[in-house]
Amino acid sequence: MSKSVGIVSEYNPFHTGHKYQIEYLKKSGFNTIIAAMSGSCVQRGSPALFSKFDRAKMALLNGVNLVCEIPFPFSCMSAEGYALAGMQTLKAMNVDAICFGSESGDIKILKSIAEYLLSNDYENSLKLYLQKKIPFAVAREKSIFDKFDLDKKTLSASNDILGIEYIKACLKLNWNPEIIALKRIGADYNQISEKNGFASATGIRKMISEYRLETVINYIPKQSQKIFIQNLDRGSYFLPDEAFEKFVLFSLRSKTSYDFKKIMDCNDELANSFEKATSIAYSFDSLFDNLPTKRYTRSRLNRIILNSLLEQHELPQNIQYIRLLGFDKIGEQFLKQSSKLCPLPISHSSKILSEKNNDCKKIVMAEALANDLQSSFFKVIGNPRSDFNTKLIKI
């Protein structure tokens, strides 16, 4: 019997740890792997290293059977919003299971925490801590520790945090797929150094920025090394540089606290902080030195900056369509069946999707703008409007 499994991914870039996950799933009996992949920008609040089309092709060459897009702004939301968008996408694609990397690998405790976070008991506990003027993230953590006797690392580990949100999203959507928490065996999510022969995406991007190309290629699967090298050779990659830094600072200086308040995930305190910080900042370092980084994560601040650059407001809060980026023959067969039951418009064409309804058009145009931002700051500037003229990838 055919079994399908969905992965929420960024593949920023695709590396040997991702390959390990796919091989594990194939050996576990899943013959169809569907990736819901972030588009031109990623959840840490930055354009992706490579274009989504090249990242999709790298995934397909390494065993993923179908790749669909998580468009902006969903790809740049908080963990909760990002996870919900991913699960909405995979549920619409009718996969049988979902799989995510996990530092703990303890699906039982992750499920228990997810269920608790949707309970009245949690809301009451959280309210008590917030009344004491404790920051939300700390209050949330304290409420969980009051309920569970667990290792504090579980609540600070990036993949476990996302895993809890994936499970929460499934509960919200009244969806009950098989859930697989695959224990990480290599470098941690934000770890720069390699571990057990694996390097994180963060570490790989660091190696590229330091031009350690002979080292970085060891962490890229052989099937996709050619694309990886081609992108670096022709300058088709994004890493923050002086030009991007100047553009960001100029853009931020044009905004007031009133403007920042309209940005997703930016509260009054942050809006005021951004206005003050941008009035004196002369670099990224000086900008963040003057922002409340102890109360708010760097990723959240980066997302606010990215959203301010793209200036998208009043966008739909739920996934509106399924944008196909590519598939192989197995993925194409799966698509023929799943598309019959998919409750959302499904197509590889941005133009076709933009014509479905006004909400679809808003999201298509938001992602197209994010795509243009990314390609404009590639090492060598990319083609404009490529979101509308890049063909579906078929392997």
Side-chain angles (χ1 to χ4, degrees):
M1 181 178 175
S2 178
K3 287 180 68 181
S4 60
V5 59
I7 303 169
V8 176
S9 60
E10 294 191 316
Y11 297 150
N12 189 37
F14 191 96
H15 55 66
T16 49
H18 299 130
K19 178 75 170 178
Y20 168 78
Q21 182 186 34
I22 290 165
E23 290 176 343
Y24 172 86
L25 291 170
K26 296 282 188 184
K27 290 176 183 177
S28 299
F30 292 98
N31 52 14
T32 307
I33 298 178
I34 311 301
M37 189 188 77
S38 299
S40 304
C41 295
V42 293
Q43 203 259 335
R44 66 191 182 93
S46 169
L49 177 70
F50 297 144
S51 82
K52 59 191 171 189
F53 304 105
D54 285 326
R55 284 155 46 229
K57 189 172 184 179
M58 292 174 79
L60 292 169
L61 289 171
N62 283 281
V64 172
N65 304 112
L66 185 149
V67 182
C68 49
E69 173 189 86
I70 300 177
F72 183 87
F74 306 103
S75 64
C76 295
M77 287 183 171
S78 65
E80 183 176 25
Y82 175 70
L84 182 60
M87 293 302 103
Q88 286 175 334
T89 301
L90 294 176
K91 181 183 180 184
M93 292 300 289
N94 295 289
V95 299
D96 300 310
I98 62 166
C99 177
F100 53 84
S102 167
E103 287 85 359
S104 69
D106 190 339
I107 191 65
K108 185 177 179 181
I109 188 62
L110 297 180
K111 282 184 175 179
S112 296
I113 294 172
E115 290 168 354
Y116 173 64
L117 291 175
L118 292 173
S119 71
N120 290 330
D121 285 347
Y122 166 69
E123 290 296 333
N124 293 333
S125 175
L126 180 69
K127 192 179 296 183
L128 290 174
Y129 281 117
L130 292 177
Q131 288 172 352
K132 298 176 183 178
K133 306 297 182 183
I134 294 174
F136 175 83
V138 177
R140 179 180 183 272
E141 187 176 89
K142 287 180 176 292
S143 296
I144 294 172
F145 283 127
D146 287 347
K147 179 71 174 180
F148 300 97
D149 179 21
L150 49 81
D151 188 336
K152 190 172 183 178
K153 290 181 180 179
T154 303
L155 296 184
S156 60
S158 300
N159 285 274
D160 277 342
I161 291 169
L162 270 174
I164 291 166
E165 294 300 336
Y166 293 143
I167 298 168
K168 264 179 62 184
C170 289
L171 293 170
K172 287 181 180 179
L173 295 170
N174 195 29
W175 183 39
N176 189 34
E178 180 183 351
I179 299 175
I180 303 159
L182 178 60
K183 188 172 177 61
R184 286 182 71 102
I185 60 170
D188 292 338
Y189 180 79
N190 285 314
Q191 186 176 330
I192 293 175
S193 60
E194 64 87 31
K195 181 181 177 182
N196 297 333
F198 294 89
S200 70
T202 301
I204 288 171
R205 293 191 300 273
K206 176 73 170 173
M207 292 176 203
I208 294 171
S209 72
E210 296 171 347
Y211 299 99
R212 295 161 54 200
L213 304 186
E214 290 185 3
T215 301
V216 76
I217 202 66
N218 296 317
Y219 305 107
I220 307 301
K222 290 182 179 179
Q223 293 86 342
S224 50
Q225 285 182 0
K226 183 178 179 180
I227 299 174
F228 185 88
I229 293 169
Q230 283 177 341
N231 275 295
L232 296 183
D233 285 346
R234 67 189 180 206
S236 297
Y237 65 95
F238 171 86
L239 286 174
D241 59 12
E242 186 179 357
F244 185 68
E245 181 177 56
K246 288 179 177 179
F247 170 70
V248 170
L249 292 176
F250 166 74
S251 178
L252 295 179
R253 285 173 182 176
S254 69
K255 293 176 172 58
T256 66
S257 61
Y258 176 79
D259 299 313
F260 285 114
K261 286 176 186 177
K262 294 187 289 184
I263 296 170
M264 179 174 57
D265 217 20
C266 189
N267 58 30
D268 288 352
E269 179 191 12
L270 282 170
N272 292 328
S273 294
F274 265 102
E275 182 179 43
K276 292 176 183 176
T278 54
S279 69
I280 57 176
Y282 54 88
S283 67
F284 279 157
D285 287 341
S286 64
L287 174 66
F288 286 102
D289 283 344
N290 289 284
L291 289 172
T293 51
K294 290 184 178 180
R295 287 172 59 82
Y296 302 98
T297 66
R298 181 72 173 254
S299 290
R300 180 173 177 177
L301 299 175
N302 281 335
R303 287 194 295 270
I304 291 170
I305 292 170
L306 186 63
N307 279 289
S308 76
L309 298 181
L310 295 171
E311 293 188 335
Q312 300 296 300
H313 307 296
E314 298 181 5
L315 294 174
Q317 295 301 300
N318 294 294
I319 290 291
Q320 299 297 309
Y321 56 77
I322 303 296
R323 166 87 184 279
L324 303 171
L325 297 177
F327 49 68
D328 63 9
K329 291 181 179 179
I330 294 173
E332 187 173 18
Q333 245 349 89
F334 173 84
L335 181 64
K336 288 177 181 178
Q337 298 301 316
S338 66
S339 60
K340 296 175 184 177
L341 301 173
C342 185
L344 298 174
I346 183 167
S347 175
H348 71 282
S349 168
S350 286
K351 183 176 184 298
I352 290 172
L353 291 169
S354 70
E355 294 170 349
K356 292 297 181 181
N357 57 54
N358 193 46
D359 281 348
C360 285
K361 184 176 182 178
K362 286 180 179 179
I363 297 299
V364 167
M365 298 311 295
E367 171 60 29
L369 187 61
N371 181 259
D372 279 343
L373 174 71
Q374 178 199 35
S375 63
S376 294
F377 287 96
F378 276 164
K379 192 74 171 177
V380 175
I381 190 169
N383 295 325
R385 311 306 279 169
S386 61
D387 219 31
F388 287 89
N389 51 41
T390 303
K391 294 181 179 179
L392 177 74
I393 300 163
K394 293 185 179 181
I395 300 297

